[in-house]
Amino acid sequence: MTTLERTKLTLKGVAELAGLEGKHLGYSRWLIIDQHMIDMFSDATGDHQWIHSDPKRAKAEGPFGGTIAQGYLTLSLFPILLWEILEVEGATVLNYGIDKLRFTGVVPEGSRVRLGVTVTKVATTPKGATVSFAAVVEVEGIERPALVAEILLRY
């Protein structure tokens, strides 16, 4: 893991996205994933599997020594953490899809995560652009990332 400082990149409009292709944009801040956040996600999605929602049982019986965040909770952090890395003024942003997604590690309750992104492709259109991001969610102190994905946004 790298310890690069985070700096938000602010673009003046969609046209500036084309110049980002192939560039690593940096990292978000570290965000703590606590039991309250895991429980709120469980309530929102109905995923009350004990590995996420029962700290006593997860500590006693689980393979990770405690509860872990849902993989989809980790994925759902992409928009808020990306906002800390990149802003495109005057643009509306829509989720367009995910071409590749792997949950490659776990996020233990109480750990800190951050997002790192690289722009892999920018396809411009008369009305905007579709941008493909190589996204990696790192867990502080754990070598293996929790998530790697290719995420598409429309600006």
Side-chain angles (χ1 to χ4, degrees), residues 15-92:
E16 292 185 11
L17 285 165
L20 297 181
E21 194 166 302
K23 294 189 176 167
H24 180 72
L25 302 184
Y27 297 89
S28 69
R29 68 184 161 94
W30 290 103
L31 176 68
I32 296 173
I33 307 300
D34 61 17
Q35 191 62 48
H36 178 69
M37 182 185 289
I38 295 168
D39 291 343
M40 287 178 27
F41 191 82
S42 292
D43 289 344
T45 62
D47 183 357
H48 293 281
Q49 192 176 164
W50 65 266
I51 195 72
H52 308 301
S53 61
D54 189 337
K56 282 185 178 179
R57 184 175 176 192
K59 185 174 184 175
E61 299 176 31
F64 306 110
T67 57
I68 60 170
Q70 299 87 342
Y72 286 107
L73 166 56
T74 306
L75 176 63
S76 75
L77 298 173
F78 180 81
I80 189 67
L81 295 178
L82 179 64
W83 178 256
E84 295 180 1
I85 300 169
L86 175 66
E87 178 181 357
V88 181
E89 293 177 345
T92 300

